[in-house]
Amino acid sequence: MRNDDLTVDEATVIAEHARSGALDLQDPEVRKVVEQANRVLVRTQMWGEERSPKLRRRRRIIAVGALVMVLVWVAALIGPLAVHFG
């Protein structure tokens, strides 16, 4: 974790305060911190709290595999139509 990153607990507290309206989001510095907290929470939801390269690689492989399946399915659907009408 980089030195300037927030912890998950800090990000959760900041996001809750922002949602409740306790923070002045008109202030650019406060808005930056709230945006950083939201990024930390989204990253945590996506990749988990632990930054594990092995887990990240596994999830990327799954995402790429799903994308390839969808592309093959679309090609199988459109291919015959293109041949028939082309």
Side-chain angles (χ1 to χ4, degrees):
M1 180 164 66
R2 293 187 318 234
N3 293 336
D4 59 339
D5 276 351
L6 297 170
T7 65
V8 176
D9 294 332
E10 291 170 338
T12 304
V13 170
I14 291 170
E16 286 175 5
H17 285 312
R19 273 192 296 270
S20 70
L23 297 176
D24 178 23
L25 296 178
Q26 300 302 318
D27 182 3
E29 292 300 316
V30 173
R31 192 173 334 116
K32 279 185 190 176
V33 173
V34 170
E35 289 171 358
Q36 182 184 10
N38 288 332
R39 280 193 302 273
V40 168
L41 291 176
V42 168
R43 190 181 318 124
T44 301
Q45 290 171 350
M46 181 68 181
W47 303 111
E49 277 191 53
E50 295 297 319
R51 290 186 175 184
S52 166
K54 187 176 182 180
L55 179 61
R56 181 173 282 179
R57 190 176 328 115
R58 181 172 171 241
R59 288 187 179 171
R60 281 185 182 158
I61 289 171
I62 290 171
V64 168
L67 179 63
V68 167
M69 282 180 47
V70 169
L71 291 176
V72 167
W73 180 78
V74 168
L77 247 141
I78 294 177
L81 291 174
V83 170
H84 178 70
F85 293 114

